[in-house]
Amino acid sequence: MSDWVPEEFAACASRPVVVVTGPTATGKTRLAVALAREFGGEILSVDSRQVYRGMDIGTGKDLSEYSEGGAPVPCHLVDVAEPGAAYDLYRFLKDARKCFCQVVARGSLPVLCGGTPLYLAALLDGYEMAGGPPDPAIRKSLEGKDTRELLEILRREASPELLARTDITQDRRIVRAIEIARSGTAEIPPALTNHIVLAPKYTRMEVRERVRLRLDARLEEGMVEEVRALHEEGGVSWEKLEWFGLEYRYVGRYLAGRLSWQEMHDTLLTQIRQFVKRQDVWFRKLEREGHEIHWIPQGDIPQAIALVREFLAKQEGRELL
């Protein structure tokens, strides 16, 4: 995918956006597909693992859901990289912003769907990545400097706008801002502020059970075989699998002979449930930072449709002013 063009994104970033997020195993894809089909939308996946080809079952791509109930719903940012390739936040933001503009240009409604907190927050809040990837030379030159020294450099070299957007409580953020200032391309991407955020809502016990059922279903669907193919045919090492998330980590350990099947299953189940708790913490943080989340009981599609219809009607009213 070609590089993100700042002027293009600035021109379309104010368009209405529907966001479907929430904890794992709560039916985000099902809800997002229903909304996209109802309102003529296209889905942009906000998932750090679904970008990889050959990682379908373990990442929960649920590709069949995009064609259920009618014509297939377009979905983007899925299967755009090989498992061995580097795909980080910088590349995601370039691809996502470019794709967003293309969806808007086609007259479709962008529907962001996924539960990778960093990726979603970066899009919604206009996270600054315009300075390019990390610069090892700059970072080495700043090694050993304390916060006061880094701030002096930042205030001397950064624009007022960049300085205002920098979290100066973290040295790594200050270093990143200095990189951006020195790159000479410190445009600040606009935030996607014209959005509605929806999330399926289940009780804690319901989510625990949904996690168990989903894990068992994925194992029956061939998740072990998928991981084996990644290692044996795709050349993905056991060490690399550790970085691809819980499912690939523990199934990889089972295939490498480090865990029994039962140990793999039980440990994975526990770890996924703990991951859901960490996701809940992030969603509460998102709300505290001013992003209202409409929690949809049981992922009720008619209720979600009614909320989105009301949101879009307000947008039409604004355009008439």
Side-chain angles (χ1 to χ4, degrees):
M1 186 175 290
S2 60
D3 286 354
W4 162 58
V5 179
E7 293 77 11
E8 291 181 10
F9 187 66
C12 66
S14 62
R15 303 300 299 169
V17 186
V18 172
V19 180
V20 179
T21 189
T24 191
T26 55
K28 294 185 291 294
T29 301
R30 172 177 169 270
L31 181 57
V33 168
L35 293 173
R37 180 166 284 123
E38 179 71 19
F39 296 103
E42 299 184 33
I43 294 176
L44 280 69
S45 173
V46 187
D47 189 291
S48 61
R49 301 185 303 160
Q50 292 187 7
V51 298
Y52 294 111
R53 301 183 187 95
M55 296 172 58
D56 301 335
I57 301 173
T59 65
K61 289 178 183 174
D62 300 324
L63 298 175
S64 62
E65 294 193 16
Y66 293 100
S67 0
E68 289 180 0
V73 171
C75 180
H76 310 282
L77 304 177
V78 171
D79 292 343
V80 296
E82 295 298 330
Y87 198 100
D88 53 16
L89 177 62
Y90 175 72
R91 180 174 172 186
F92 169 78
L93 285 175
K94 289 204 302 181
D95 288 353
R97 287 166 174 155
K98 184 68 175 180
C99 186
F100 182 92
C101 293
Q102 293 170 343
V103 171
V104 169
R106 287 191 288 270
S108 300
L109 175 68
V111 179
L112 308 184
C113 176
T116 298
L118 178 62
Y119 282 21
L120 181 57
L123 277 175
L124 294 184
D125 296 330
Y127 189 83
E128 174 56 67
M129 291 295 287
D135 187 318
I138 291 177
R139 297 200 170 192
K140 186 171 182 58
S141 72
L142 298 174
E143 285 181 1
K145 297 187 182 299
D146 59 26
T147 303
R148 182 185 58 80
E149 293 172 311
L150 291 173
L151 282 173
E152 288 179 358
I153 296 171
L154 179 64
R155 287 168 178 149
R156 186 169 60 245
E157 300 186 16
S159 67
E161 187 176 12
L162 177 58
L163 182 60
R165 292 287 296 271
T166 302
D167 179 0
I168 60 173
T169 67
Q170 300 185 55
D171 286 358
R172 64 188 180 88
R173 298 296 189 198
I174 301 173
V175 169
R176 176 60 187 160
I178 294 171
E179 283 181 330
I180 293 168
R182 293 181 178 178
S183 73
T185 57
E187 299 92 349
I188 305 296
L192 296 178
T193 55
N194 191 12
H195 59 259
I196 181 172
V197 182
L198 305 100
K201 176 68 174 178
Y202 294 88
T203 67
R204 181 165 295 181
M205 290 305 298
E206 286 174 328
V207 174
R208 285 176 60 85
E209 180 63 8
R210 289 176 67 90
V211 167
R212 184 188 68 81
L213 292 172
R214 191 185 70 162
L215 174 59
D216 290 346
R218 287 182 175 181
L219 289 169
E220 290 178 5
E221 290 167 8
M223 186 165 66
V224 171
E225 289 71 25
E226 177 176 278
V227 178
R228 181 182 287 113
L230 284 169
H231 177 68
E232 296 181 356
E233 300 171 20
V236 181
S237 68
W238 299 129
E239 292 75 18
K240 184 70 172 179
L241 286 168
E242 291 278 328
W243 291 93
F244 282 146
L246 297 172
E247 292 85 355
Y248 296 93
R249 179 180 308 157
Y250 289 103
V251 172
R253 291 179 185 181
Y254 161 66
L255 290 173
R258 297 168 57 190
L259 295 174
S260 68
W261 192 97
Q262 197 63 50
E263 288 173 331
M264 176 268 292
H265 176 276
D266 294 348
T267 304
L268 186 49
L269 180 59
T270 298
Q271 290 294 318
I272 295 174
R273 285 171 170 169
Q274 291 178 351
F275 174 67
V276 170
K277 292 181 180 179
R278 294 194 295 273
Q279 285 181 310
D280 284 337
V281 171
W282 181 81
F283 292 125
R284 302 308 175 209
K285 179 177 181 292
L286 192 68
E287 290 178 308
R288 288 195 303 271
E289 293 175 348
H291 295 285
E292 180 183 8
I293 299 178
H294 297 272
W295 294 97
I296 310 298
Q298 309 293 313
D300 184 71
I301 290 175
Q303 180 178 341
I305 288 175
L307 285 168
V308 172
R309 181 172 288 117
E310 181 181 359
F311 165 73
L312 294 176
K314 290 179 180 177
Q315 309 311 309
E316 293 175 0
R318 290 175 185 173
E319 291 177 2
L320 294 175
L321 295 178

